[in-house]
Amino acid sequence: MEEKVLQNIRDAIMNGDRAAVVALTKAALEEGISLKDVMDKALIAGMEIVGGKFKRNEIFIPEVLISAKAMQEGMALLEPHFTKHGIKPVGRVLIGTVKGDLHDIGKNIVSMMLKGACFEIEDLGIDVSPQRFIDAAKAKEVDVIAMSSLLTTSMGAMKDTINALKESGIRHKVKVLVGGAPVTQDFASAIGADGYAKDAAGAVDKARELLRK
Ligand code: B12
C-alpha cells in the first residue's frame, strides 16, 4: 500500500502533474508515511527518473521544468513538518547556487533541512557571483557559506568564491560547505572548502560539525 502511494507520486512527477503530486503527497502524510520516505523514495526518486530520461534525450528542458515544479510543490508540503519555530538558531548559513548555474532543487532541499535543524538561513538563490556571497557575508555575520553546483562547468565558481573570500579578508571568519551532484570530497579538499556532504541530511551533520570546529 505504502509502496503504491510512493509509486503514484513518482509517476505524477514524471507526468508533471502538479495537482496529483500535491494531492498524493498530502495523502501520504495523512497515512503516516514517514517524511524521509516521502522525500527520498517519492519526490527525489521521481526527479531522479526524470533526470535519467533527460540524460537519454527522451524528454527535454520544458518537461524537466514542469516535473521540477511539481516536485517542488510536493516538497513545500513537507517543509512545515521539518521547520521548528521559536527555537534559538544554532548558527547562520548563507546558501546559494554558484555563478553560471540555475539548478536549485537540491539547494532548496538542503536549505529546508538546515532550517529544520534550527539553522538560520539566508538563501541568495541561483547564479550567485562570488561578490554577492561576499557582500552578504559582510552585511550580516554568518557561520557557514554553503554553495551548490550541479554543472561540471560551474564547479569552478566554488573555487573562485573561496579565492574571493580570501582576497576580501573574511575567509578565516566563515566555514565553507560545498555540495551538488558532480561535487566530491576530493574536489572539496582540492579547492580548500571546509566541508562536503553528498545529500541534505549529510549537509546538516556537516554544518553542525563545522560549527564545533
Ligand atoms: C532539473 C534539472 C534541470 C532544470 C533545473 C530546474 C531547477 N529549478 O533546478 C533545468 C531544466 C532548468 C536544467 C537546465 C540545465 N541542465 Co540540468 N538537470 C536537471 C536534473 C534532471 C535534475 C537535478 C535535480 O534537481 N536533482 C534532484 C536534486 C534533489 O538532487 P541534487 O540537485 O543533486 O541535490 C542533492 C545533492 O546533490 C545535495 N546538494 C545539492 N546542493 C548542495 C549544496 C550543499 C552545500 C550540500 C552540502 C549538498 C548539496 O543535496 C541534495 C539533496 O539531497 C539533472 C540530472 C540529475 N540526475 O541530476 C540535470 C543536469 C544537472 N543538467 C544538466 C545540464 C547539462 C543542463 C543544461 C546545461 C541543459 C542545456 N542544454 O541547457 C541546463 C543548464 C542551465 C544552467 N545554466 O544551470 C546536466 C549536467 C551535466 C554536467 N555534468 O555538467 C545534468 C546532470 C543532466 C545530464 N545528465 O545531462 N536542468
Side-chain angles (χ1 to χ4, degrees), residues 39-40 43-44 47-52 54-56 59-65 68-69 71-72 75 95-97 100-110 113-114 126 145-155 158 177-183 195-204 206:
M39 185 166 93
D40 291 345
L43 297 169
I44 293 182
M47 209 52 217
E48 274 166 8
I49 299 169
V50 170
F54 182 49
K55 194 174 175 182
R56 294 189 297 275
I59 56 169
F60 300 97
I61 287 182
E63 288 108 307
V64 177
L65 278 175
K69 185 81 194 132
M71 187 257 192
Q72 292 196 317
M75 220 26 117
I95 191 166
T97 302
D101 199 325
L102 309 177
H103 295 85
D104 66 358
I105 299 174
K107 183 237 341 138
N108 293 344
I109 295 174
V110 170
M113 296 283 280
L114 285 169
I126 53 177
I145 293 184
M147 291 188 270
S148 178
S149 163
L150 263 284
L151 298 171
T152 43
T153 48
S154 68
M155 286 164 74
M158 291 181 159
L177 177 61
V178 294
V183 179
Y196 156 78
K198 100 173 188 331
D199 56 24
V204 170
K206 208 47 167 182

Side-chain angles (χ1 to χ4, degrees), residues 6 9 24-25 28-29 33-45 74-75 78:
L6 299 174
I9 297 176
L24 290 163
T25 304
L29 295 177
I33 302 178
S34 78
L35 288 176
K36 190 172 177 343
D37 280 353
V38 176
M39 185 166 93
D40 291 345
K41 296 185 182 166
L43 297 169
I44 293 182
M75 220 26 117
L78 306 191

Side-chain angles (χ1 to χ4, degrees), residues 3 7 11 16 28 32 49 51 58 61 76 83 97-99 110 128 134 143 145 147-148 156 159 168 187 199 202 206:
E3 177 46 36
Q7 174 68 53
D11 289 345
I49 299 169
E58 290 165 21
I61 287 182
T83 312
T97 302
V98 294
K99 189 162 176 50
V110 170
V128 182
I134 288 165
D143 301 296
I145 293 184
M147 291 188 270
S148 178
K159 186 166 193 256
S168 67
F187 177 78
D199 56 24
K206 208 47 167 182

